[in-house]
Amino acid sequence: VARPQPVRKPEAPAATAAAAAPASNNAPANTGGSAAPKSAPAAKKGAGAPPPPRSTPDRDRKGGDRRQSGKLTVNRALNDDEGARARSLAALKRAREKERRAHFGGQSQQREKQVRDVIVPEAITVQELANRMAEKGADLVKAMFKMGMMVTVNQTIDQDTAELLVTEFGHNIQRVSESDVDIDTSIDVDAEETLKPRPPVVAIMGHVDHGKTSLLDALRGTDVVRGEAGGITQHMGAYQIKTKGGDLVTFLDTPGHAAFTQMRMRGANVTDIVILVVAADDGIMPQTIEAINHTKAAGVPMIVAINKMDKHEANPQKVRERLLEHEVIVEAMSGDVQDVEVSAKTGAGLDELIEKILLQAELMELKANPDREAEATVIEAKLDKGKGPLATVLVNRGTLKVGDILVVGTESGRVRAMLDDKGRQVKAAPPSMPVEVLGIGGVPMAGDLLSVVESEQRAREVSAYRQEQATAKRTAMAPASIDTMFSALAAKQNVIEYPVVVKADVQGSVEAINSALHALSNDEIKVRILHSGVGAITETDVALASASGAPIVGFNVRPNAKAREQIEKTKTPMMYYDVIYELTAEVAKQMAGIWGPERIETVVGRAEVKQVFPAGKRDKAAGLLVVEGYIRKGLSARLTRNDVIVSATTISSLRRFKDDVDEVRAGLECGVVLADTNDIKAGDHLEVFEVSHRERTVG
């Protein structure tokens, strides 16, 4: 059955004419007349009618399609004058090569080979060598196959093989070693005309408790010794003073305890003059002799300060005679070593001491170039909770400025800020000035050299190389044999290990504690330091100690809140000290099995300092809010700032409003006066504890 075809209506000639009529009209007729709107619908119905325009003048006048005027359309993109397709770079190269061949009569002309200076390190991959020679990697592989070496482009070759390849291809070789990356300061010598006078750097050395810090306090007119635990300097301090005549002198205060040998040696190495402090009532002691030896080894002049002349039993002549035993001949005995009798307590002889320092400095003609990139030596380094890694540095030459990019040991960074010995911010540090530098990536080692470099890339490069060298040195092992392996296993079975985690406030103390603990080891028992670091005790330290069953030794630091919770959960033994000989004595007791009475500290209360008030002429009172437990008069207390112990003291006075009370409980406010300390600030925390003793039992 055939389907009926649809009947198409024939197009009316009138409709076609009507559709064509408005198209031929001019624009003004279309705008004003009424024929155009009537004929427009008729044109849309017709099959052969052209499409209506996209925009009418009415819409353009109103601004309806103006937003589309800047859009890229297909027509605009394919327009002859705008969207013409550019020739590719390969097509241009082909065309130029064709022209060149036509110019030389169809023969390909051999280009002249460019000879390059190729820098080759101790080890390099074939592909990297090819890139430096501007040759194809496949050509190098082919040349090595001819030499009898089967290699790939990713294989590493040594310097001698690389030299064969470089000469084979007609280039020049420049051999370099990995150590060339490091900064070599020995060849960088300043010209004589650039040198200018600089202040002398003076180290104060001597035996413990001979009055070194007290003498420095008298010279500075300040009071440092009161804030030190047991009156013993535990780390190295650097200070700069201005004399009455306007001259600047930099002083380094070194610890006198036996454990701080490294610090004393470092102090002697970075100084120009050493002041050997000897107590007139005590004479020559072991650390005095050690200080004399360090001074002689460093080759620096010495001035002997005979201190404590205010005491009745003072005998300076005996000190001079005892110095003869160690080849130190003072001027009074026709020698060349200056000596001066002083008293840090009364201030006698201080002006004469300053005179002798300046006279010695004048003879030495100390000079440095301040107009160059700075070099400095790290005196001390620590990790501050708010400021991050801090390094106390002494500028050797050049001027250290804020914004300088630096490398110090295995760390790099940028100088964000600098503080002087009084805590004031400085923009630049000239030679012989001690400053505290903020902005280093990590805590450097005390004694490291700080160098300013031109860019961050160079700083990272040097830092990465030094870290590789340090890792290689740490992981290097002696060649093993069967005999040495069996002897090591037998020794390990016989030796008892005493594991310990050490945390201290500054890098120098960590170094001193580690060496002191290692010195306690013998053939039967030895100390194994699992981890040592700077800063507050963290939960990572607690996790490491609890996993190994080791105690944590905290030297002038406390655990943070999370670490404290973890200590309570894991029952990790904690040992807090602020004097190094107490630490070594306690560890020695535990190691040797000579168990004395155990000192137990039970924390009974914690409080926060809200405000500080003057109390009397000298003392300060702290307004506290008791957070936990209770505070009782006469109990021992620790004042902490950012989890670092500021001072260990006792509560000498306890008041609530105007009444003296014996005890204040949690949630209440009170006022306390702490014994032997005035270094209290709002925001500090007070930890009150009771001390009890009990006999230890071996569990």
Side-chain angles (χ1 to χ4, degrees):
V1 181
R3 290 183 179 177
Q5 296 293 328
V7 180
R8 294 181 64 185
K9 292 182 180 180
E11 295 179 1
T16 311
S24 64
N25 287 341
N26 292 329
N30 194 12
T31 316
S34 59
K38 287 179 182 179
S39 60
K44 284 181 185 176
K45 289 176 185 176
R54 295 188 65 173
S55 63
T56 61
D58 289 333
R59 290 184 68 185
D60 285 344
R61 196 182 298 120
K62 291 176 184 176
D65 284 348
R66 199 174 295 162
R67 59 189 175 81
Q68 295 183 354
S69 61
K71 288 189 176 179
L72 182 68
T73 61
V74 176
N75 289 330
R76 195 173 293 171
L78 298 177
N79 200 3
D80 290 338
D81 54 341
E82 287 183 11
R85 189 178 175 189
R87 295 178 73 185
S88 68
L89 192 61
L92 283 171
K93 282 183 179 178
R94 285 196 297 271
R96 284 176 188 166
E97 187 67 23
K98 194 175 180 182
E99 286 174 13
R100 196 176 61 78
R101 284 184 182 176
H103 185 263
F104 289 108
Q107 299 294 325
S108 61
Q109 186 72 9
Q110 186 68 32
R111 292 181 183 177
E112 187 180 347
K113 189 173 181 68
Q114 187 178 355
V115 178
R116 300 176 186 275
D117 291 329
V118 183
I119 297 170
V120 180
E122 292 170 357
I124 190 170
T125 62
V126 176
Q127 185 61 58
E128 178 62 26
L129 183 63
N131 294 343
R132 293 185 184 191
M133 291 164 61
E135 303 283 352
K136 291 179 182 176
D139 292 346
L140 266 72
V141 172
K142 196 185 295 181
M144 292 190 75
F145 265 68
K146 287 178 183 176
M147 294 178 193
M149 287 180 276
M150 309 301 172
V151 296
T152 62
V153 287
N154 297 321
Q155 202 159 325
T156 304
I157 56 174
D158 61 1
Q159 217 168 32
D160 296 332
T161 311
E163 186 177 2
L164 288 172
L165 284 171
V166 171
T167 50
E168 176 78 20
F169 282 83
H171 298 291
N172 301 325
I173 186 169
Q174 287 184 7
R175 285 173 174 255
V176 295
S177 64
E178 286 185 4
S179 59
D180 293 344
V181 173
D182 208 352
I183 300 166
D184 187 9
T185 54
S186 58
I187 56 171
D188 186 9
V189 181
D190 295 317
E192 188 66 35
E193 60 272 11
T194 61
L195 302 178
K196 294 178 184 176
R198 65 170 177 83
V201 180
V202 181
I204 298 180
M205 300 172 74
H207 192 72
V208 64
D209 202 28
H210 274 203
K212 295 182 298 298
T213 308
S214 302
L215 182 63
L216 182 57
D217 289 345
L219 290 167
R220 291 178 70 209
T222 58
D223 191 10
V224 177
V225 74
R226 283 188 70 184
E228 292 175 353
I232 298 172
T233 302
Q234 306 284 349
H235 55 263
M236 191 180 285
Y239 314 97
Q240 195 168 54
I241 67 163
K242 185 176 267 191
T243 63
K244 291 174 184 175
D247 299 301
L248 292 171
V249 181
T250 300
F251 285 98
L252 298 182
D253 184 17
T254 63
H257 194 269
F260 296 99
T261 305
Q262 293 289 327
M263 284 198 196
R264 275 192 297 282
M265 185 175 70
R266 194 159 57 240
N269 288 340
V270 298
T271 54
D272 308 309
I273 303 165
V274 168
I275 294 179
L276 183 69
V277 179
V278 187
D281 62 333
D282 206 6
I284 308 298
M285 299 300 281
Q287 271 66 63
T288 314
I289 299 163
E290 192 187 275
I292 292 168
N293 295 335
H294 286 321
T295 307
K296 285 179 179 176
V300 294
M302 184 194 304
I303 298 171
V304 178
I306 304 170
N307 196 16
K308 301 190 181 181
M309 288 301 297
D310 53 290
K311 291 198 172 184
H312 294 296
E313 57 269 25
N315 189 352
Q317 192 58 32
K318 187 183 176 184
V319 171
R320 294 187 182 100
E321 289 168 3
R322 287 290 309 279
L323 285 169
L324 291 171
E325 298 173 16
H326 307 284
E327 299 175 7
V328 177
I329 307 165
V330 297
E331 286 179 345
M333 295 185 168
S334 68
D336 56 352
V337 178
Q338 298 185 90
D339 69 312
V340 57
E341 296 177 6
V342 296
S343 171
K345 201 169 185 180
T346 62
L350 295 182
D351 292 338
E352 191 184 346
L353 179 62
I354 292 286
E355 261 177 51
K356 289 185 184 291
I357 291 168
L358 295 175
L359 176 64
Q360 187 69 54
E362 195 176 334
L363 289 170
M364 295 172 77
E365 293 183 350
L366 301 168
K367 291 182 179 179
N369 179 11
D371 306 318
R372 55 158 292 150
E373 290 176 337
E375 282 178 14
T377 306
V378 178
I379 301 297
E380 196 56 271
K382 63 180 180 179
L383 184 67
D384 190 87
K385 189 178 180 182
K387 298 174 185 174
L390 295 177
T392 303
V393 302
L394 181 69
V395 181
N396 302 332
R397 58 177 178 169
T399 303
L400 188 63
K401 304 182 191 75
V402 173
D404 282 348
I405 299 159
L406 54 87
V407 179
V408 48
T410 57
E411 305 294 340
S412 63
R414 183 189 288 269
V415 181
R416 303 291 179 198
M418 288 189 295
L419 307 172
D420 65 4
D421 58 319
K422 295 176 182 67
R424 299 173 300 198
Q425 284 208 13
V426 290
K427 295 291 181 187
S432 297
M433 183 175 179
V435 285
E436 202 170 42
V437 177
L438 287 79
I440 303 170
V443 180
M445 295 297 291
D448 283 345
L449 192 68
L450 181 147
S451 304
V452 173
V453 293
E454 62 276 4
S455 64
E456 289 187 7
Q457 183 184 355
R458 172 77 173 133
R460 284 195 296 268
E461 190 180 32
V462 174
S463 175
Y465 168 73
R466 288 181 179 176
Q467 282 172 2
E468 283 175 16
Q469 295 298 105
T471 306
K473 188 177 178 182
R474 192 172 61 249
T475 56
M477 293 179 67
S481 66
I482 301 282
D483 295 336
T484 55
M485 284 170 65
F486 274 112
S487 61
L489 282 168
K492 196 170 183 181
Q493 285 176 351
N494 296 331
V495 174
I496 302 165
E497 283 190 343
Y498 180 80
V500 67
V501 175
V502 176
K503 290 302 286 283
D505 55 343
V506 292
Q507 186 68 50
S509 296
V510 172
E511 181 185 61
I513 292 164
N514 287 355
S515 59
L517 291 180
H518 282 306
L520 297 174
S521 302
N522 53 37
D523 295 338
E524 294 179 1
I525 185 166
K526 69 173 184 178
V527 175
R528 184 181 167 213
I529 297 170
L530 299 172
H531 171 68
S532 61
V534 178
I537 297 162
T538 61
E539 54 266 36
T540 313
D541 302 323
V542 179
L544 175 63
S546 62
S548 310
I552 299 175
V553 175
F555 189 76
N556 272 335
V557 292
R558 299 289 294 170
N560 58 30
K562 287 185 179 177
R564 210 158 46 227
E565 289 173 14
Q566 205 166 338
I567 288 164
E568 289 173 6
K569 284 180 189 174
T570 57
K571 305 295 181 188
T572 305
M574 301 293 299
M575 300 161 71
Y576 302 119
Y577 298 98
D578 51 11
V579 179
I580 195 164
Y581 60 74
E582 289 180 2
L583 185 155
T584 51
E586 185 64 30
V587 173
K589 275 183 185 178
Q590 292 192 17
M591 285 174 64
I594 307 169
W595 293 67
E598 187 179 5
R599 186 173 181 268
I600 301 165
E601 291 178 4
T602 309
V603 177
V604 295
R606 289 189 176 89
E608 186 179 355
V609 179
K610 292 293 184 184
Q611 208 169 344
V612 181
F613 308 94
K617 289 183 179 178
R618 293 185 180 178
D619 293 333
K620 288 183 181 177
L624 304 179
L625 172 65
V626 183
V627 181
E628 291 176 33
Y630 60 88
I631 292 179
R632 191 179 293 159
K633 188 177 175 181
L635 288 181
S636 301
R638 284 191 198 92
L639 191 69
T640 60
R641 190 172 299 150
N642 294 332
D643 294 323
V644 175
I645 297 168
V646 178
S647 60
T649 179
T650 54
I651 296 169
S652 61
S653 173
L654 181 63
R655 286 193 174 193
R656 211 173 127 63
F657 300 110
K658 291 186 179 181
D659 302 321
D660 282 326
V661 290
D662 291 326
E663 188 179 296
V664 178
R665 293 274 170 184
L668 300 175
E669 293 185 345
C670 61
V672 298
V673 175
L674 301 176
D676 300 323
T677 184
N678 282 330
D679 186 9
I680 311 167
K681 291 183 181 176
D684 290 356
H685 288 81
L686 195 72
E687 196 176 62
V688 182
F689 57 93
E690 288 180 336
V691 179
S692 58
H693 296 84
R694 73 176 180 196
E695 290 296 323
R696 286 194 176 95
T697 55
V698 180

